[in-house]
Amino acid sequence: MRRIAVVTTSRADYSLYRSTLRKLSAEPGCELLIVATGTHLVPAHGRTVETLMSDGFDVAAQFDCLEEGDDPSSTARSMARALAGFSGAFERLRPDWLVVLGDRFEMHAAGLAALPYRLPVAHIHGGEITAGAYDDALRHSLTKLSHLHFPATELSAMRIVQMGEEPWRVTVSGAPGLDEFETIPNIDREELGRLVGLDLAQDPLLVTFHPTTLDLVPPAIQACRFFGALADRQEPIVVSMPNADTGNLGVRRHAEEFVGEKPNRRLVAALGPETYVNLMRIGAAMVGNSSSGIIEAPSFGLPVVNVGSRQEGRERASNVIDVPLEASAVRSALVQAMDPSFRAGLTGLASPFRQSRPACDIITERLMRQSLGSELVVKRWHDGSRS
């Protein structure tokens, strides 16, 4: 029996993981051990650990790690709490594999805690670039702490090898968050509107803004400028809460003020994969700086106005319009994004993050067949090309 621990820290990574969790849980000879922390356990973020349970997953370990503040000191202390929490979980669960995804500081703490246990780490979505956030450094550091890599694209795979990783450790999987899109059932507009608390007779705008943590402009001012650019919009607007980055409380405050008591705007802590996918199916456009606009929106031919530098460096499809964090630029880009001719040009758009097979199949097969031992755990620097 192969014991595979999977770390999930928020609604965002869970929606990307879900197909892989289902595949692993159904795999003969695999014991899935979910370790939940981060915003999953915070009521203000929707306490989304309950979503995992309602989807039928058992949570093998869970612990709080987030400090109440959002200043640099609070973030650093949250990192320390996460490191200690993962150590306790690994000591008790004794997994054979640890699976992490992306670039959150909680994920990085899991990879760091695994090091003294000689616990092999598999990393999904490595090799990408997000120049505007310190997540970029965490992602690349996590690559060096990991033993198998599942990048979404060939370009990301090449970057991982450029960091000295041996090519045999790298398997291009595509983005697992795209696996379930075709199987999620349609929700009619009336029911979807009931779920989010809006009249969705008109196609909605989907809005998410996270702190750009390497920007010299404080996150609260970033958010003030961003939401100010949307102040005159009249269509229904669904605003997702920011994640637990440094400076997120100021962003949350401006999101709350933007929504206020306006009947055509709704602020949500967690939508759930089914509701979110259905909103992308009918959305007029997405605006903000979420990775969802880069990775997931192309599958729906959904126009995206990507604001600021947070996602700078990521591969993107032609649905993305990049603009600086300036009100006039955001407004002009929204006019372009919502032009019917622009939307028509996205019909049949291919996502750069999709492979010919489901990512969950590729990831599960490699995790189950990869031999464990010194060859895996002892890493050697690779000089040369991916081939």
Side-chain angles (χ1 to χ4, degrees):
M1 182 65 68
R2 187 161 286 196
R3 296 165 61 84
I4 300 181
V6 179
V7 173
T8 179
T9 70
S10 71
R11 69 176 194 262
D13 65 57
Y14 173 62
S15 68
L16 304 182
Y17 267 140
R18 198 167 67 155
S19 66
T20 304
L21 296 177
R22 285 178 170 161
K23 186 74 176 179
L24 288 169
S25 65
E27 184 71 20
C30 173
E31 182 180 1
L32 175 63
L33 305 169
I34 295 177
V35 182
T37 188
T39 58
H40 273 313
L41 306 179
V42 179
H45 288 269
R47 191 170 163 76
T48 47
V49 69
E50 295 173 4
T51 302
L52 280 71
M53 297 174 183
S54 66
D55 280 346
F57 295 113
D58 293 326
V59 177
Q62 58 181 287
F63 59 89
D64 291 310
C65 71
L66 297 180
E67 296 283 319
E68 288 188 4
D70 69 338
D71 59 309
S73 175
S74 297
T75 302
R77 292 197 306 273
S78 295
M79 292 177 178
R81 287 180 63 183
L83 183 63
F86 284 118
S87 175
F90 300 156
E91 184 70 28
R92 181 170 64 85
L93 297 176
R94 294 290 174 173
D96 300 306
W97 271 112
L98 176 67
V99 181
V100 294
L101 183 149
D103 47 30
R104 293 287 306 164
F105 66 79
E106 303 96 328
M107 292 286 182
H108 185 268
L112 194 58
L115 192 63
Y117 288 93
R118 290 175 48 90
L119 173 57
V121 177
H123 183 207
I124 301 169
H125 271 296
E128 298 171 18
I129 295 175
T130 53
Y134 57 54
D135 295 358
D136 203 53
L138 293 169
R139 184 189 313 108
H140 301 324
S141 178
L142 195 47
T143 289
K144 298 309 296 181
L145 291 167
S146 299
H147 305 86
L148 282 188
H149 309 281
F150 295 102
T153 70
E154 285 289 348
L155 178 58
S156 292
M158 180 186 72
R159 291 181 181 135
I160 290 170
V161 174
Q162 287 176 335
M163 285 189 275
E165 297 298 289
E166 298 165 287
W168 68 265
R169 298 180 182 272
V170 183
T171 302
V172 178
S173 65
L178 309 184
D179 289 346
E180 294 188 320
F181 284 172
E182 289 79 9
T183 62
I184 289 178
N186 286 320
I187 302 174
D188 66 57
R189 281 181 185 259
E190 185 175 350
E191 173 63 12
L192 192 58
R194 187 190 66 78
L195 289 171
V196 299
L198 283 177
D199 180 354
L200 296 179
Q202 184 181 3
D203 294 348
L205 274 184
L206 309 181
V207 174
T208 306
F209 189 81
H210 299 298
T212 302
T213 49
L214 291 182
D215 199 318
L216 295 178
V217 177
I221 297 177
Q222 297 170 26
C224 180
R225 294 174 180 173
F226 172 74
F227 286 108
L230 303 179
D232 295 331
R233 302 303 306 191
Q234 297 302 309
E235 56 273 290
I237 300 178
V238 180
V239 183
S240 300
M241 285 288 197
N243 56 26
D245 284 333
T246 305
N248 79 91
L249 294 180
V251 177
R252 290 170 69 93
R253 184 177 68 253
H254 282 286
E256 290 165 352
E257 292 173 356
F258 172 75
V259 171
E261 299 298 324
K262 296 179 175 61
N264 65 332
R265 299 177 185 175
R266 189 68 67 236
L267 183 63
V268 293
L271 286 164
E274 286 79 9
T275 302
Y276 187 58
V277 164
N278 276 277
L279 284 171
M280 284 195 285
R281 285 172 177 163
I282 68 165
M286 184 181 294
V287 57
N289 60 8
S290 170
S291 61
S292 180
I294 309 294
I295 296 173
E296 299 167 44
S299 296
F300 302 93
L302 179 63
V304 172
V305 177
N306 179 59
V307 181
S309 63
R310 184 179 176 89
Q311 302 298 334
E312 183 179 334
R314 266 207 168 112
E315 297 169 72
R316 62 245 291 128
S318 58
N319 66 311
V320 179
I321 303 168
D322 293 299
V323 296
L325 182 50
E326 299 170 1
S328 60
V330 174
R331 291 172 184 145
S332 296
L334 272 171
V335 172
Q336 178 186 350
M338 298 180 72
D339 187 315
S341 64
F342 183 82
R343 184 67 177 259
L346 303 179
T347 302
L349 182 66
S351 170
F353 298 93
R354 187 183 291 276
Q355 295 295 307
S356 59
R357 297 176 60 215
C360 62
D361 291 350
I362 296 170
I363 293 168
T364 299
E365 288 171 10
R366 184 73 195 269
L367 288 174
M368 293 303 293
R369 77 166 188 263
Q370 175 64 49
S371 60
L372 304 173
S374 293
E375 180 186 357
L376 177 66
V377 175
V378 179
K379 295 176 63 175
R380 291 172 173 79
W381 187 273
H382 171 75
D383 288 312
S385 67
R386 174 157 156 69
S387 58

